Every structure is written in structure tokens, then in C-alpha cells.
Amino acid sequence: VFATVNNLLRRQGTPGNMKETNKTGTRHNSSTSYRQLKVVTYNIVPLSPASGVLEWVDYTIPFGDYLLDKSRQKVGAHSKYYPGEWGNSLCRTHFCNAPPNAKREAFDTICSHFSPAFRFFFTERFSHSLEAWHAARTLYTRSCAVSSIVGHVLGIGDRHSHNILIHEK
């Protein structure tokens, strides 16, 4: 994976001058094809130094839209599968209100009241076959690794649950 990112950067120039190489953002070679490593690219139109408009990416939803409640009518996966547990805002408030020397304790308390729910995404969307479910989870894991490496190399920050897209197909 590091070789793929380094080759991409070397061939395309500096991070500020990167050009789109193909639809997935990686050049074809045997190791990326074998592992099905992909980085989906999209365009951004800058409006100011701090904001811009993103191109629509088909068949994706923000990670946070799946997990977290949008309204009382549109509940997220966490509230759907763990209705009696703490919500996202309560967890944030509990952690923020903890004194600096008790942050670890607060984190442990949050973990005991807030269960992971993203695994249900794969069960809901890829339950038609065990092979599809396994392939989707494997591709997700690999894309997280590639995205983390590319984000680190390019210095991309501001990763939070509503600006990470997950592919639904």
C-alpha cells in the first residue's frame, strides 16, 4: 500500500498539483488489482480558503448519517439496535465535562454505555449471501487502510463521522 501511494505521488507531482489518474485514483498494477485497493476521487470547487462544494458521489452516505439519529423519525443504527444506551450527544457531554485527570475513566464509562453498531451496516445491505457480506467487509477494511495512509501522506485532517463516505453497493 505504501508503494502504491508513493508511486502515485511521484508520478503525479506534489499533493497540491495532483491530477486524477482514473476513476479510482490509483494506477493499475498487479498488487492493487489483486487486493482491490481503490481510492474514489471527486472534485471540490473552493469557495474560500476554508470552504468549498463537493461533487456528488453516487451510492454513498456519510458514516454519521447511518449511525446517528437525524430526527425522531429518522433514527440511526445505534438507536435502532441499542435503544436503551446513551446517545452520541450524551457521550460527548460526559467526556467534555470530565476533569482532565479523569478522561480515561470517562472514556471507559462511555464504552460501557455505548456499543458499536456499524457492523449492522453490512448485515442490512449485504445479507443476500455470505460471500457478498464477507467481500463488503473486506473491501471496507482495506479502503479504511488506504484512506488512512493517503490521508496521512497528504496531510488531510478534519475526519469526523459526517465527512467520511461509505459505499452502499
Side-chain angles (χ1 to χ4, degrees):
V1 174
F2 285 110
T4 303
V5 172
N6 290 336
N7 289 339
L8 179 63
L9 292 173
R10 184 172 44 256
R11 290 180 184 152
Q12 298 302 316
T14 61
N17 296 325
M18 289 191 68
K19 300 172 199 153
E20 188 173 330
T21 57
N22 62 25
K23 281 298 196 192
T24 60
T26 58
R27 292 194 181 271
H28 297 287
N29 73 35
S30 60
S31 65
T32 57
S33 295
Y34 173 73
R35 291 179 181 86
Q36 298 179 339
L37 300 177
K38 299 174 185 169
V39 176
V40 176
T41 59
Y42 51 89
N43 295 315
I44 302 172
V45 178
L47 300 177
S48 74
S51 65
V53 177
L54 298 175
E55 174 185 7
W56 186 263
V57 182
D58 291 329
Y59 309 113
T60 62
I61 59 170
F63 185 75
D65 282 1
Y66 174 76
L67 289 175
L68 307 175
D69 298 342
K70 286 187 183 178
S71 65
R72 290 185 181 188
Q73 293 80 22
K74 178 72 174 135
V75 297
H78 187 266
S79 294
K80 179 179 176 182
Y81 292 104
Y82 301 105
E85 290 194 352
W86 289 5
N88 182 51
S89 58
L90 179 59
C91 292
R92 180 183 299 251
T93 302
H94 182 76
F95 190 77
C96 290
N97 290 341
N101 61 346
K103 293 289 187 187
R104 176 57 196 215
E105 216 175 280
F107 177 77
D108 291 339
T109 302
I110 291 167
C111 288
S112 68
H113 291 91
F114 192 87
S115 301
F118 187 62
R119 64 190 171 107
F120 297 108
F121 175 82
F122 300 101
T123 306
E124 289 175 3
R125 285 167 174 75
F126 303 99
S127 62
H128 54 276
S129 77
L130 186 57
E131 291 81 13
W133 174 85
H134 185 265
R137 284 192 56 149
T138 302
L139 288 174
Y140 171 75
T141 304
R142 289 177 180 165
S143 72
C144 282
V146 170
S147 177
S148 296
I149 292 167
V150 169
H152 177 74
V153 169
L154 298 179
I156 300 171
D158 192 34
R159 301 290 90 193
H160 56 79
S161 66
H162 282 77
N163 72 5
I164 297 173
L165 297 177
I166 51 176
H167 209 278
E168 293 188 290
K169 296 198 177 214

